[in-house]
Amino acid sequence: MISAIAAALSSCAGGEKYFEKHAVIPDSATVEQIMDIAARVVPTPNQLAWQQMELTAFLHYGMNTYTNREWGDGRENPEWFNPTAFDADQIVASIKAGGFKLIILTCKHHDGFCLWPSAFTEHSVKSSPYKGDVVKEISDACKRHGIKFGVYLSPWDRNAPCYGDSPKYNEYFINQLTELLTNYGEVSEVWFDGACGEGPNGKVQEYDWKAVTETIHRLQPDAVTAICGDDIRWVGNESGKGRESEWNVTPLAPKVYPNSEALRSALKIEETTRDLGSRELISKAKELFWYASETDVSIRPGWFYHDSQNNHVRSLKNLVDIYFSSVGSNSSLLLNVPPMPEGKLHPTDSVRLKEFGDYIKEAFARDYVVGGTTAQNIASGASVTYAVEPGAKVNTVMIQEDISKGQRVESFTVELLIDGQWITVGKSTTVGYKRLLRFPATTAEQVRLTVEDTRRPAEILRVGLFYCPELGSDSAVAKEYISSSSWRCVGSNGKALFDNDVQSVWGSKDMQPMVVDMGQQIVVAGFTYVPSDKVGAAGVVTKYRISTSLDGESWAQQGGDREFENVVNNPIAQNIRFDAPVKARYFRFEPLESNASDAQFYTVAEFGALLK
Ligand code: FUL
């Protein structure tokens, strides 16, 4: 088998052999041979063009915008969808001003409501007072403003009666996909989120990903497919945090591959796993994929617009930090900006987009390295040195690998020659498409990049130095709930629930209700459940009941059985308001379901009361 690899490697022009998107590791390959193959896995032209865009935007808009929810249940009345002043140009122009190159619209979210007049369901804009076609409005505006367009089509559909009847729903899904990929011009990204529930017939839907992929390749050959697609992988959280070591080449098989489950479980890896590409992991791999990550995050706490979050729009500093941990960490940023019910972006969001776009444009307009854009080939242990423009104040270094030849650098150091002395200002692992590292502002005579370890000689495209203005400290977002260290959790030590520290988490041993005694009667408008902020942590409550009491004996349930929507992937504070304020001294929180594998325990980081 080794000679088979050797033959394959030498059979190519110029002695170079690349594996586009996917490589199978021969059983007998040594670790060094596996690393060599890993360094030769390269993106498809579509994947490369997508990664070079760097900034894409999400528009979460739909029925939830009108019901004030994050996940609808599919029973919404289409009459509720009623934009009174829909303005696609305002939306698209604001996003363009942020520097974004592509916009992905939630054409159908989990509630099944279609933003286009689909011929296959009545649950769409055509049954709403609006009557228009939001997909057409947005895609046309994208063309007018010179920005690419993409579609989010939720595989999980809580409205379609055939959901869970696999062949029937697959046909329905492909019909809808075909409409979207045929009637709206060029579609550059197709986004299928991973959520999957049970259909009305009690069966779990088995998707026909092969047919889905074929449909996309046939109708939009230049499109990339994300999440439940095989071109782009979810970074693993919805809070804008990229990895310190981000590899485009990974043994994580896209879920749509037939043997994906077996490959993933053999290595115990999934999208949320911290290490998806180290030497240690790859040396155990059987197959490798070019599967770069996309960091999806919302400009507000929720994905959909909620009036109550108007004071919680991310600050410029926070967005810039996210830029550094996504684009600056070999990922791509997918920033969500949700339109308001009237059908345009809130002024705070559009002003923030402009500030962000201007900041990035200005900060990276001036590169102070002399000759840093000349490509360099650097072996392990070797360095390249460049002059820096005299007197220039710099605080950010940019390094880029030529990923059309693979991703190779495993560790590197950046030093500046300051007053005749070499000072280390950056040290890390992966580079990939783009790596940005910040350091305290200084002037320097020279900059030196040393590649300590690389899987093959590193193909460095660029070394740049920039000055990114300081943005001060990020003002903490005020929490909306109250709690007190004098509150008690009846029957258990619940200190962690009221200590204002989301890192300390209270855990139950079973699914018994938790009773909170606030010590005195107060009028409460609702309550807040704060889950552990670690994505993937077990014990997050997804379904529950909540009751209040004046005396701890007779209880009034507030609403029916309830659901925390999208809490597992986006574990932010869940503020739940009652229909009307109630007087209470006690809360009883009854978990009905958690994401623990056997759903037999649950956790709470903080618990509080809402006063308004
Ligand atoms: C998740 C969904 O469940 C959320 O509602 C949101 O659309 C996010 C981007 O993807 O899977």
Side-chain angles (χ1 to χ4, degrees):
M1 196 48 108
I2 296 179
S3 57
I5 313 174
L9 295 181
S10 61
S11 69
C12 289
E16 287 292 0
K17 159 90 183 172
Y18 293 112
F19 302 88
E20 195 176 272
K21 201 174 182 176
H22 181 207
V24 177
I25 310 284
D27 285 343
S28 53
T30 63
V31 173
E32 282 319 306
Q33 283 168 330
I34 297 176
M35 300 317 295
D36 185 72
I37 293 174
R40 293 170 193 269
V41 179
V42 296
T44 64
N46 290 355
Q47 287 178 312
L48 179 61
W50 169 82
Q51 208 155 345
Q52 286 166 338
M53 278 194 288
E54 301 187 0
L55 293 176
T56 50
F58 235 162
L59 282 180
H60 272 68
Y61 179 59
M63 190 54 89
N64 295 333
T65 314
Y66 298 87
T67 54
N68 207 16
R69 295 181 70 170
E70 282 289 301
W71 280 2
D73 57 21
R75 290 183 297 225
E76 293 80 12
N77 185 341
E79 298 270 329
W80 299 342
F81 183 85
N82 191 13
T84 48
F86 190 81
D87 188 347
D89 283 309
Q90 188 263 359
I91 296 172
V92 173
S94 304
I95 289 175
K96 188 162 184 199
F100 294 84
K101 306 286 188 305
L102 179 149
I103 293 179
I104 302 173
L105 172 69
T106 52
C107 301
K108 179 180 88 166
H109 203 252
H110 311 327
D111 53 53
F113 183 78
C114 300
L115 293 185
W116 78 103
S118 170
F120 300 95
T121 177
E122 292 308 303
H123 200 57
S124 84
V125 278
K126 73 182 171 203
S127 312
S128 78
Y130 172 66
K131 300 282 187 263
D133 181 342
V134 176
V135 179
K136 182 157 174 32
E137 293 283 337
I138 294 290
S139 58
D140 283 353
C142 284
K143 287 182 198 104
R144 282 196 293 278
H145 293 268
I147 193 166
K148 289 178 183 293
F149 175 68
V151 298
Y152 172 119
L153 183 68
S154 171
W156 185 27
D157 188 321
R158 297 175 110 178
N159 175 268
C162 59
Y163 186 82
D165 180 341
S166 296
K168 261 203 180 150
Y169 181 75
N170 285 332
E171 194 184 323
Y172 177 76
F173 189 66
I174 297 234
N175 282 335
Q176 293 197 324
L177 182 63
T178 303
E179 290 181 317
L180 290 175
L181 301 186
T182 313
N183 300 333
Y184 300 97
E186 190 182 351
V187 173
S188 301
E189 183 167 341
V190 183
W191 218 91
F192 300 125
D193 68 278
C196 172
E198 229 173 59
N201 64 356
K203 284 196 219 148
V204 172
Q205 173 71 29
E206 300 272 347
Y207 299 105
D208 186 351
W209 292 118
K210 191 164 172 280
V212 168
T213 309
E214 278 167 12
T215 306
I216 298 168
H217 288 168
R218 182 167 49 83
L219 298 173
Q220 296 283 344
D222 295 335
V224 282
T225 57
I227 318 309
C228 286
D230 64 353
D231 292 311
I232 300 167
R233 127 179 94 83
W234 179 44
V235 75
N237 62 75
E238 296 184 354
S239 48
K241 293 187 202 115
R243 289 177 177 75
E244 175 68 23
S245 304
E246 186 63 88
W247 287 100
N248 299 321
V249 177
T250 170
L252 185 79
K255 281 195 184 130
V256 299
Y257 274 58
N259 59 342
S260 164
E261 232 2 89
L263 289 170
R264 287 170 170 234
S265 61
L267 295 175
K268 298 196 179 56
I269 51 174
E270 50 189 78
E271 277 78 358
T272 49
T273 308
R274 184 195 289 257
D275 175 11
L276 286 180
S278 71
R279 186 168 273 258
E280 197 193 346
L281 179 73
I282 285 201
S283 59
K284 295 179 271 184
K286 296 275 170 252
E287 296 186 34
L288 292 172
F289 303 87
W290 184 276
Y291 201 26
S293 77
E294 180 178 65
T295 305
D296 60 326
V297 62
S298 185
I299 200 164
R300 291 159 171 258
W303 287 101
F304 285 88
Y305 175 87
H306 308 287
D307 272 338
S308 61
Q309 297 180 349
N310 287 345
N311 294 330
H312 298 264
V313 176
R314 288 182 189 274
S315 65
L316 175 61
K317 176 175 186 328
N318 189 253
L319 287 182
V320 169
D321 287 346
I322 287 176
Y323 177 85
F324 273 84
S325 82
S326 53
V327 175
S329 299
N330 185 36
S331 187
S332 156
L333 172 58
L334 173 54
L335 181 72
N336 177 61
V337 208
M340 299 186 288
E342 61 193 280
K344 46 171 85 147
L345 297 185
H346 190 277
T348 307
D349 302 39
S350 61
V351 166
R352 197 54 40 79
L353 284 170
K354 171 96 174 74
E355 290 170 356
F356 174 73
D358 288 350
Y359 179 93
I360 298 296
K361 204 162 44 185
E362 280 158 31
F364 293 99
R366 190 78 210 273
D367 183 347
Y368 296 101
V369 173
V370 181
T373 52
T374 311
Q376 303 277 351
N377 183 278
I378 313 175
S380 281
S383 303
V384 268
T385 305
Y386 308 84
V388 178
E389 283 186 25
K393 190 158 85 158
V394 293
N395 64 0
T396 302
V397 61
M398 175 196 288
I399 311 169
Q400 292 193 275
E401 274 182 84
D402 179 358
I403 56 166
S404 70
K405 297 185 177 138
Q407 185 182 353
R408 303 176 176 185
V409 176
E410 291 182 306
S411 62
F412 67 93
T413 301
V414 179
E415 296 156 288
L416 293 182
L417 186 65
I418 303 172
D419 297 333
Q421 242 196 318
W422 285 108
I423 309 284
T424 299
V425 291
K427 201 171 181 42
S428 193
T429 51
T430 49
V431 173
Y433 168 70
K434 186 174 273 187
R435 191 66 200 252
L436 298 170
L437 294 177
R438 293 187 278 192
F439 52 86
T442 180
T443 55
E445 294 96 69
Q446 291 180 23
V447 56
R448 179 163 72 191
L449 166 70
T450 303
V451 172
E452 269 103 26
D453 296 289
T454 180
R455 292 177 177 178
R456 300 191 69 221
E459 298 281 359
I460 300 296
L461 265 190
R462 180 174 193 177
V463 175
L465 281 173
F466 302 87
Y467 179 70
C468 296
E470 298 287 336
L471 286 165
S473 65
D474 201 6
S475 53
V477 173
K479 59 176 196 181
E480 289 172 73
Y481 61 92
I482 59 146
S483 64
S484 157
S485 53
S486 65
W487 291 8
R488 281 185 322 114
C489 185
V490 178
S492 104
N493 176 359
K495 273 203 187 111
L497 291 167
F498 318 117
D499 64 358
N500 255 317
D501 177 6
V502 290
Q503 303 306 324
S504 69
V505 175
W506 175 91
S508 70
K509 291 196 192 65
D510 46 35
M511 291 297 269
Q512 287 305 306
M514 176 185 95
V515 175
V516 172
D517 178 0
M518 298 186 287
Q520 58 178 322
Q521 293 182 358
I522 53 175
V523 176
V524 293
F527 77 102
T528 301
Y529 163 70
V530 186
S532 158
D533 65 354
K534 304 211 171 30
V535 180
V540 176
V541 176
T542 48
K543 295 199 175 133
Y544 65 98
R545 268 181 216 136
I546 186 90
S547 310
T548 53
S549 167
L550 289 167
D551 55 10
E553 288 186 4
S554 74
W555 292 92
Q557 188 175 330
Q558 304 297 334
D561 293 358
R562 296 168 181 253
E563 180 179 22
F564 291 126
E565 296 158 0
N566 197 31
V567 66
V568 174
N569 286 340
N570 192 16
I572 56 173
Q574 307 288 310
N575 294 330
I576 306 299
R577 287 181 170 80
F578 300 150
D579 292 340
V582 283
K583 198 178 214 188
R585 171 172 167 171
Y586 298 88
F587 278 107
R588 187 172 66 203
F589 179 64
E590 278 177 79
L592 300 175
E593 186 185 279
S594 87
N595 73 333
S597 55
D598 52 2
Q600 277 317 305
F601 73 93
Y602 69 103
T603 56
V604 187
E606 292 290 298
F607 192 87
L610 292 168
L611 299 185
K612 53 180 188 237

